[in-house]
Amino acid sequence: MAEEQDTVHYEGAEGGWGSLRGITEIAWREKPTPAVLNTLRRQNKVKGFMCVSCAWTKPANAHPLEFCENGAKATLWELTSRRCTPEVLAAHTVSELKTWKDYDLEQLGRITHPMRYDRATDTYVPCEWEEAFAAIGRELKAIDPGAAVFYSSGRASLETSYLYALFARLYGHNNLPDSSNMCHETTSVALKKLIGSPVGTCVLSDFHLCDAIFFFGQNTGSNSPRLLHPLQEAVKRGVKIVTFNPIREKGLEVFKNPQGPVEMLTPKKTPISTLYLQVKAGGDIAAITGLTKHVLAAEERKWAEEKLHVLDVDFIEQHTQGFAAMKAHVEGTGWEEIEEESGLARADIEEAGQIYVEAKRSIAMYGMGLTQHVHGFENLAALTNLWLMKGNMGRDGTGISPVRGHSNVQGQRTVGISEKPELVPLDRIAEQYGFEPPREEGMNTVKACEKIVSGDVKAFIGLGGNFVRAIPEREKMEAAWQNLRLTVQIATKLNRSHLINGEVAFLLPCLGRSEEDLQETGAQAVTMEDSLSCIHGSLGKNTPASEHLKSEVAIVAGMAKATLPPNPKVRWDEWTGDYAKIRDLIEETYPEQFHDFNARVFTPGGFYRGNSARERVWKTESGKAEFTVPKTMTSIGFEPADWRYRLVTLRSNDQFNTTIYGYSDRLRGIEGTRDVVLMNPEDIAAAGLENGQVVALVSDAGDGVHRQVDGLTITPFLLPRGCIGAYYPEMNPLIPLWYHDEESKTPAAKGVPVRIKA
Ligand SMILES: Nc1nc2c(c(=O)[nH]1)N[C@H]1C(S)=C(S)[C@@H](COP(=O)(O)OP(=O)(O)OC[C@H]3O[C@@H](n4cnc5c(=O)[nH]c(N)nc54)[C@H](O)[C@@H]3O)O[C@H]1N2
Ligand SMILES: Nc1nc2c(c(=O)[nH]1)N[C@H]1C(S)=C(S)[C@@H](COP(=O)(O)OP(=O)(O)OC[C@H]3O[C@@H](n4cnc5c(=O)[nH]c(N)nc54)[C@H](O)[C@@H]3O)O[C@H]1N2
Ligand SMILES: [Mo]
């Protein structure tokens, strides 16, 4: 077995001085003013502004500095003093900018003016807002609404998102793909089907009551660092934390609280995980089946010896269906297969299983390690089986808690951004606005890509994000982009997606969330929903990066007004002038969840919008929570073969999705470059490769399509054999568009079939 000392790794703990250094470095680069530092002090506080980084909840009793390294980076990134002005854009053709790295594009700073792409000079040229809106309206009116796609990245507020979805439906389509389609769509589909709620069931107080927390494929230290605070408190309370992850991610191993002075000054660190199991990528169904098998065996023993139960038999009886079939299947699955598929030893799985057996209240947390697989649905089904059998759902201190990504990605779905019409109260909307909304299913991300390739899509609007960079199959998609007649990108900074343009293209710069949003009735607040279904108000105070920016609400309203015929019930200008009126509309559409919305906007800790599964009301087809018989023991969508590896695409500690803050993945010990392939030393030797050798990765999906990424340095790393790691988004050309979760179509970015070309 390879040892950590033979590999590249990080010596410190997550948090601590290293994390302060991370903040300082970016602060130095972005040259923040005193006003910016003030903004950090208001971050995630009541009547402050809500962080634009991750979706972890903002507690009522916030720390004096309730932000983490990555939240600070995100804020400083938004409030940079650099400006991407018309002069800067005039100095570089779009063809030239296409050769730049993502990092360098965003380093140009905040976009200051609305811009139109000028094909003759191959540059962006400034334009007036009204000119842009009129042209967009003209273009949209000229095409069939079904040929337009309105994408959103999960950052825009509830107010913007609600209007954006309304715009799409008034115009005539449900083509509302969301970054969620590449992320937790597996959750939305699986949890809806299994427990009748598309989101997690936990609230913050559950973390104070549980006895065990199980983590599957979620990198807390980098991606939701503030969650380390409740975890650290839980550990101090004696809560056992068990982690399943192919990589020993530092944040879940040890944590040093950068906000706890004692831990900063002394070498005291909190070990986080009691047990850390390096499951093979795609091995979770097998691992969870092993845990389930152990629980069933423990039940049998306990009943035989003490006439007592390990299982929650009353819950199973009253609230679920399908237990017997699931049980028979798990008992029929041998340990040999479980060990082979999970890459874990039976004894280790049983040790974890015993922690689960002994815990009275357990929480399951997970991230992209479960959702981004061809059998991602099966991952969540297996996990739900395990959680249901002990009644760990809908009881204080228990539950299933997907850790969401973008700061309002969950909320966007809540207020109507969905390609699935059955998830939206269309009848109510029809009544509210006096029109007949489209009822046919819209395009999700993968479908939109397919239709862009086939030429059926004519217009693409991006409400934030970096679509072309985030999706699979980059080469083919970039080429197909030329089919589009209209592309509109609403953004804060320049990125690759802004350089792949349709015939008519606009770049519309918007306010960031930390900036003051002044409208007719004064400064406006916006709202978002966190991972635990709590809604928070956010008030930007910083001076906008440029006087020419518009808010996202104003931009959506401007485009809508120029596109749609007048309707007395649809008052874009009035709504833009006062966002409280948009909140009234949201309340009207969703009265159960958003009652008294305006009065509750600044509730400390946010207001909880409720969750039926938490109340043990199962809005599933059968009216019960569902056990499932797994149809496969691996979540990987290809057969093993010699020299075929499972590529896991990773986020570094120094990026937010396609935004690269820098080249220091401190928590994994990788510095100065992102062009690496992380590989087990024994695999390196077996393949006849050497540390430091530069190689290419080649797609091995068996579909005859050549996909390749060059210039990657072999780096020894403690990964299970057969699994290799490399960074997202650089590796996205290697992922076939058809390679996605079977049920939800979430691209399977955590188990991509590749070969190494020396
Ligand atoms: N700083 C920062 N914060 C972020 C983001 C960011 O890019 N940077 N992105 C935001 C967004 S949109 C999202 S969705 C979240 C993403 O946050 P996460 O859900 O944490 O996503 P990833 O970092 O992609 O991968 C998570 C972990 O899955 C592990 N893994 C890979 N394959 C498997 C597997 O088969 N099984 C198991 N058990 N584990 C596996 C990886 O080793 C990794 O540690 O973070 C959000 N927060
Ligand atoms: N291989 C691989 N691919 C993946 C993933 C993976 O793990 N592996 N993860 C997937 C996941 S989980 C996600 S969520 C997607 C992410 O996909 P996206 O959400 O589309 O991408 P981001 O990188 O978050 O978008 C960054 C851009 O957003 C813009 N922006 C920033 N702030 C604002 C704002 O306030 N308003 C507006 N309008 N624009 C703003 C900036 O211009 C910035 O360049 O990628 C997916 N793709
Ligand atoms: Mo995400």
Side-chain angles (χ1 to χ4, degrees):
M1 242 318 258
E3 301 286 341
E4 195 169 62
Q5 71 259 17
D6 306 329
T7 61
V8 173
H9 64 280
Y10 174 63
E11 296 284 358
E14 163 51 348
W17 295 115
S19 117
L20 284 188
R21 201 178 60 225
I23 301 174
T24 323
E25 269 163 22
I26 186 123
W28 187 80
R29 200 157 61 217
E30 303 297 348
K31 306 194 177 44
T33 59
V36 171
L37 298 173
N38 241 338
T39 304
L40 284 176
R41 244 169 255 136
R42 298 179 60 242
Q43 191 150 325
N44 299 330
K45 302 278 181 53
V46 179
K47 298 224 168 157
F49 95 98
M50 294 301 137
C51 183
V52 290
S53 193
C54 81
W56 182 248
T57 196
K58 289 83 187 161
N61 52 343
H63 282 249
L65 299 173
E66 180 67 35
F67 60 85
C68 66
E69 171 180 359
N70 274 304
K73 281 183 187 172
T75 305
L76 291 167
W77 177 90
E78 186 166 294
L79 296 178
T80 175
S81 53
R82 293 161 206 267
R83 296 291 177 266
C84 179
T85 60
E87 293 71 41
V88 170
L89 286 171
H92 306 282
T93 63
V94 165
S95 306
E96 182 207 331
L97 292 169
K98 271 187 198 161
T99 64
W100 291 22
K101 286 198 174 266
D102 299 276
Y103 173 83
D104 297 316
L105 289 174
E106 293 206 355
Q107 279 298 308
L108 290 175
R110 292 287 297 279
I111 306 165
T112 58
H113 289 66
M115 307 291 289
R116 174 177 62 79
Y117 177 59
D118 180 52
R119 205 155 278 280
T121 56
D122 186 30
T123 53
Y124 269 111
V125 295
C127 67
E128 295 299 324
W129 280 103
E130 285 315 314
E131 176 194 341
F133 292 150
I136 293 164
R138 205 163 44 238
E139 291 294 333
L140 288 177
K141 278 190 271 190
I143 61 168
D144 169 21
V149 168
F150 289 12
Y151 171 70
S152 22
S153 157
R155 207 176 264 206
S157 65
L158 293 174
E159 290 78 2
T160 309
S161 305
Y162 180 85
L163 291 190
Y164 193 54
L166 180 63
F167 172 24
R169 297 197 168 98
L170 284 165
Y171 171 53
H173 67 74
N174 286 308
N175 298 333
L176 289 159
D178 186 285
S179 60
S180 176
N181 287 143
M182 300 178 251
C183 181
H184 270 290
E185 191 61 22
T186 321
T187 297
S188 311
V189 170
L191 294 191
K192 178 83 186 81
K193 190 161 173 187
L194 302 168
I195 60 169
S197 161
V199 300
T201 67
C202 291
V203 297
L204 195 56
S205 59
D206 291 325
F207 292 83
H208 305 308
L209 295 171
C210 63
D211 311 308
I213 304 176
F214 279 63
F215 269 93
F216 294 88
Q218 203 275 328
N219 186 11
T220 314
S222 285
N223 297 336
S224 41
R226 286 180 307 104
L227 163 57
L228 290 172
H229 295 150
L231 286 187
Q232 195 189 26
E233 282 162 28
V235 169
K236 285 187 182 152
R237 222 165 34 77
V239 172
K240 299 229 160 104
I241 297 186
V242 179
T243 302
F244 289 83
N245 194 314
I247 292 182
R248 297 193 69 92
E249 303 287 18
K250 283 302 154 187
L252 287 170
E253 283 204 294
V254 276
F255 179 56
K256 199 163 160 186
N257 192 340
Q259 313 210 335
V262 177
E263 273 141 5
M264 287 300 279
L265 295 174
T266 61
K268 203 172 132 215
K269 305 175 206 164
T270 312
I272 297 284
S273 295
T274 316
L275 193 60
Y276 201 114
L277 300 179
Q278 284 184 271
V279 64
K280 260 198 237 175
D284 300 271
I285 303 171
I288 297 167
T289 301
L291 295 172
T292 309
K293 206 172 162 67
H294 179 79
V295 178
L296 290 171
E299 162 73 12
E300 215 163 275
R301 229 173 9 248
K302 187 120 180 157
W303 185 248
E305 289 166 11
E306 306 171 50
K307 288 283 173 288
L308 290 173
H309 290 293
V310 166
L311 301 179
D312 189 338
V313 288
D314 293 340
F315 175 81
I316 294 174
E317 170 66 30
Q318 264 186 47
H319 288 283
T320 69
Q321 77 159 22
F323 177 71
M326 185 282 293
K327 175 170 184 264
H329 178 271
V330 170
E331 286 175 342
T333 306
W335 277 107
E336 211 169 301
E337 186 182 358
I338 290 171
E339 288 190 315
E340 168 66 27
E341 292 294 352
S342 66
L344 298 173
R346 173 177 176 174
D348 288 336
I349 298 177
E350 289 189 322
E351 191 183 340
Q354 194 55 27
I355 292 175
Y356 185 67
V357 164
E358 286 167 17
K360 292 204 170 62
R361 300 160 195 268
S362 299
I363 292 175
M365 308 204 81
Y366 66 87
M368 300 299 99
L370 291 196
T371 62
Q372 293 179 333
H373 277 295
V374 168
H375 300 293
F377 176 90
E378 302 286 322
N379 274 333
L380 302 195
L383 188 56
T384 304
N385 287 343
L386 182 64
W387 249 244
L388 290 176
M389 65 199 289
K390 285 197 72 203
N392 274 321
M393 202 88 84
R395 186 158 63 85
D396 286 340
T398 71
I400 191 158
S401 190
V403 185
R404 302 297 303 249
H406 270 297
S407 52
N408 192 34
V409 66
Q410 187 167 309
Q412 296 191 330
R413 298 307 229 185
T414 304
V415 297
I417 295 208
S418 176
E419 71 284 359
K420 299 184 180 75
E422 68 276 14
L423 299 183
V424 185
L426 292 181
D427 292 337
R428 207 170 292 157
I429 290 172
E431 206 179 305
Q432 237 176 312
Y433 304 102
F435 78 115
E436 191 36 57
R439 305 271 169 172
E440 51 300 338
E441 171 134 5
M443 298 175 201
N444 59 18
T445 291
V446 166
K447 194 74 185 182
C449 290
E450 287 166 2
K451 296 278 183 184
I452 289 168
V453 171
S454 66
D456 294 314
V457 170
K458 302 287 178 217
F460 179 95
I461 299 183
L463 176 57
N466 189 357
F467 189 81
V468 182
R469 201 73 172 137
I471 55 178
E473 199 100 74
R474 180 177 312 147
E475 319 281 294
K476 186 169 162 187
M477 288 313 305
E478 288 196 357
W481 219 253
Q482 324 294 333
N483 296 335
L484 292 167
R485 166 71 190 170
L486 173 72
T487 53
V488 179
Q489 302 283 359
I490 302 158
T492 51
K493 285 195 188 174
L494 193 68
N495 66 43
R496 177 94 189 164
S497 295
H498 308 151
L499 307 176
I500 318 293
N501 288 329
E503 255 174 271
V504 177
F506 288 95
L507 179 54
L508 305 180
C510 63
L511 293 173
R513 196 184 292 162
S514 56
E515 290 170 331
E516 182 162 51
D517 184 354
L518 273 180
Q519 303 292 346
E520 217 175 282
T521 56
Q524 305 296 315
V526 291
T527 51
M528 38 238 85
E529 174 179 339
D530 66 32
S531 245
L532 304 182
S533 308
C534 290
I535 317 285
H536 306 261
S538 176
L539 201 53
K541 288 254 167 99
N542 253 80
T543 310
S546 145
E547 58 184 359
H548 304 288
L549 304 182
K550 278 190 187 294
S551 74
E552 291 179 317
V553 164
I555 296 172
V556 169
M559 293 189 301
K561 208 176 139 191
T563 308
L564 303 171
N567 171 342
K569 294 186 164 174
V570 179
R571 297 190 285 266
W572 300 110
D573 292 333
E574 200 182 311
W575 299 339
T576 305
D578 182 2
Y579 297 180
K581 293 201 167 133
I582 310 173
R583 287 188 285 276
D584 286 338
L585 302 172
I586 296 175
E587 177 171 347
E588 227 174 287
T589 311
Y590 305 93
E592 301 82 13
Q593 304 171 55
F594 288 96
H595 63 88
D596 306 310
F597 193 3
N598 275 307
R600 294 195 291 164
V601 164
F602 291 112
T603 308
F607 70 85
Y608 182 53
R609 71 170 174 91
N611 180 314
S612 51
R614 191 179 166 76
E615 308 303 319
R616 297 195 164 175
V617 173
W618 316 102
K619 296 186 177 170
T620 58
E621 242 169 61
S622 64
K624 300 218 163 182
E626 304 276 347
F627 283 101
T628 316
V629 173
K631 57 177 189 206
T632 155
M633 270 299 127
T634 172
S635 38
I636 297 289
F638 57 89
E639 294 300 317
D642 287 346
W643 314 116
R644 180 180 291 165
Y645 297 90
R646 299 175 179 193
L647 168 68
V648 178
T649 59
L650 295 167
R651 296 173 153 74
S652 87
N653 181 55
D654 214 8
Q655 78 184 84
F656 190 92
N657 297 340
T658 67
T659 292
I660 311 302
Y661 298 128
Y663 294 90
S664 163
D665 196 358
R666 175 168 55 79
L667 298 173
R668 299 200 186 103
I670 300 160
E671 299 287 344
T673 175
R674 296 174 52 87
D675 298 326
V676 291
V677 183
L678 309 182
M679 196 170 179
N680 185 296
E682 289 168 31
D683 276 344
I684 296 178
L689 297 166
E690 305 217 1
N691 296 352
Q693 189 174 343
V694 177
V695 298
L697 289 183
V698 187
S699 167
D700 197 20
D703 60 357
V705 177
H706 184 76
R707 306 177 181 88
Q708 180 165 334
V709 175
D710 293 299
L712 304 170
T713 301
I714 294 283
T715 306
F717 202 81
L718 206 55
L719 270 159
R721 292 203 59 182
C723 305
I724 59 175
Y727 289 117
Y728 144 67
E730 288 84 343
M731 294 308 117
N732 286 33
L734 295 169
I735 310 174
L737 187 56
W738 51 263
Y739 193 71
H740 52 65
D741 174 40
E742 287 184 341
E743 304 276 332
S744 66
K745 292 201 157 66
T746 306
K750 296 294 184 265
V752 185
V754 294
R755 278 169 200 275
I756 298 173
K757 200 165 123 189

